[in-house]
Amino acid sequence: MNPVLAMLIGVVVMMVLIICTRIHAFPALIISAILIAVLSGNNLAGVAESGNLLGTAISTVTSGFGGTMASIGIVIGFGCIMGIFLEKSGAAKRMALSILKLVGIKRADVVLGLTGFVVSIPVFCDSGFVILSSLAKEFSRLTKKSMVGLGGILGMGLYITHFLVPPTPGPLAVVSTFQQNGLNVDLGLFIIYGLLLSIPVFILSVYLFRYFGNKYPQFVVPYEIDRSKYTAAQLEVLDKIDAKLKAGKELENEDFAALLSTEKLPGAGISFTILLLPVILILANTIVSQTALKGMIVGQIITFLGNPIIALFISLCLGAFVLARDLDKKTVVGMMGEALKDAGPIVFITAAGGALGAVVKATGAAGIMGEALVSTGIPGILVPLLIGVIMRFPQGSGTTAMITGSALVAPMLAAGLAVNPYLAGLAICMTSMCPSFLNDSYFHVVTSFSGMDIKTSLKTWTIGSIIIPVFGGLILFILSLFIH
């Protein structure tokens, strides 16, 4: 069968299995990869030499799976463990308080968004929203701002870096898949470019959800509180804030600082260090690799420390021995086990995406599609932009969309599709956000923890999850005209 037709059949079968049956994404990807290999017949590399189609199909799948697992499995596991320490220790709330002092209570929505923006680099956006939603509700209750706006900006801050900035699993998998296909994509540079693209996208999200918040002012958290859910120290602070509001005085940063200080939170220094240290080490490795230091002892040490596995392991150790120093051994080990339960599905789905990519490359489908697209004259950047949406829309998982999308696009780039690999990778990540609606678990997290009904969330959050990626895609399209 024609390799492109075989690939299309395999992708459709994969989506049907994920959406319409009880099959998990991991076996669905493996089944799809084997199906494409078998349907391609003699077009699969290695079949002519071995004379064994089924054996070659399986070996292609397993080698693709193993290669991806080797490059990314440890990193995802360490990242999830680091994230759970930030989540359970209160470090995320401490960072929110630190940002509040810098930005000010009058821009409470920006505080929430920036906190989510930072926290979501190692922590899954679902967990991050659950952690920080209580802070959003306090802001809403005391400032009388709608949770449609506050929850939306918090949700989008988490969402943007979750999709664009490694070492979050999705963009990390994109980089790994590109590297597996021989594309020169540096992780440190991808982090920098992801952060740069995140800034204008985040700014737009602030104004967009402020508009939505003003349009739906009824979703304000009621001022009355359930006093049984607060400690005596917290109630004392809340009563002082209440008296201040009744006296007609405006709230200040110190009011919220006092509220958060009633909880036992880690210091701002260690909280931000554990979060940002891996990113700094990886970026240092990127810088050294471009200079004469690369061959020196100092350069070799920085290269070692800047390896994603080592960088994340250092933060993991800081989390275990500093953030969690007051917890007993059993609790800390239990937290790590809980994190690895979250990491397992992502690692296997990512590796299965690598298997799919290996098959697409081995059949020659990528080269055929790349040549066909070039001959049509359409801008090459539209290919990854469209594939991101196509992979996301039916099955709801952004991480799966990034993994499968990169598995399809990377071989095309290797076969000559004329797009800068960094722009192509960011394009897949950006449009894999689109859309977040009923088949997305994060949609329901944002909806329920913001106190919105489904109808309102579809009109605000879902629309936002379309507008933001379209805006980001437009930026990438413009950049592609100048960067090749």
Side-chain angles (χ1 to χ4, degrees), residues 245-416:
L245 289 171
K246 287 179 178 177
K249 298 179 181 178
E250 287 191 3
L251 296 180
E252 300 174 351
N253 298 353
E254 290 72 20
D255 296 316
F256 287 94
L259 183 60
L260 284 178
S261 67
T262 57
E263 300 182 48
K264 189 177 180 181
L265 301 175
I270 187 62
S271 298
F272 279 105
T273 296
I274 289 175
L275 175 71
L276 298 177
L277 182 60
V279 175
I280 293 170
L281 290 174
I282 292 170
L283 292 178
N285 179 18
T286 298
I287 293 170
V288 165
S289 68
Q290 309 296 322
T291 66
L293 287 173
K294 182 171 60 174
M296 301 179 184
I297 296 295
V298 174
Q300 292 174 14
I301 293 172
I302 294 173
T303 298
F304 172 75
L305 295 176
N307 181 288
I309 292 175
I310 302 302
L312 287 168
F313 180 68
I314 293 170
S315 275
L316 184 158
C317 290
L318 287 174
F321 294 106
V322 180
L323 279 184
R325 64 182 178 276
D326 296 330
L327 302 176
D328 58 80
K329 176 184 174 182
K330 183 178 179 182
T331 302
V332 173
V333 173
M335 289 167 63
M336 291 187 183
E338 182 183 341
L340 291 176
K341 287 179 183 177
D342 293 332
I346 297 164
V347 169
F348 279 98
I349 292 171
T350 303
L356 176 64
V359 168
V360 171
K361 182 179 181 180
T363 61
I368 295 170
M369 287 188 295
E371 291 173 6
L373 288 167
V374 169
S375 66
T376 63
I378 70 166
I381 190 68
L382 291 180
V383 176
L385 287 172
L386 292 173
I387 284 179
V389 179
I390 292 168
M391 292 295 105
R392 171 63 189 269
F393 186 82
Q395 48 82 33
S397 169
T399 300
T400 302
M402 284 185 274
I403 293 166
T404 53
S406 62
L408 297 175
V409 171
M412 293 186 202
L413 294 172

Side-chain angles (χ1 to χ4, degrees), residues 404-441:
T404 53
S406 62
L408 297 175
V409 171
M412 293 186 202
L413 294 172
L417 182 64
V419 186
N420 180 281
Y422 290 100
L423 294 182
L426 289 171
I428 296 167
C429 295
M430 178 62 70
T431 53
S432 291
M433 297 182 189
C434 178
S436 173
F437 72 121
L438 295 171
N439 63 351
D440 176 22
S441 62

Side-chain angles (χ1 to χ4, degrees), residues 77 79 86 133-134 147 166 378 437 466 468:
L86 291 171
S133 61
S134 59
M147 279 297 292
I378 70 166
F437 72 121
I466 296 171
I468 298 300

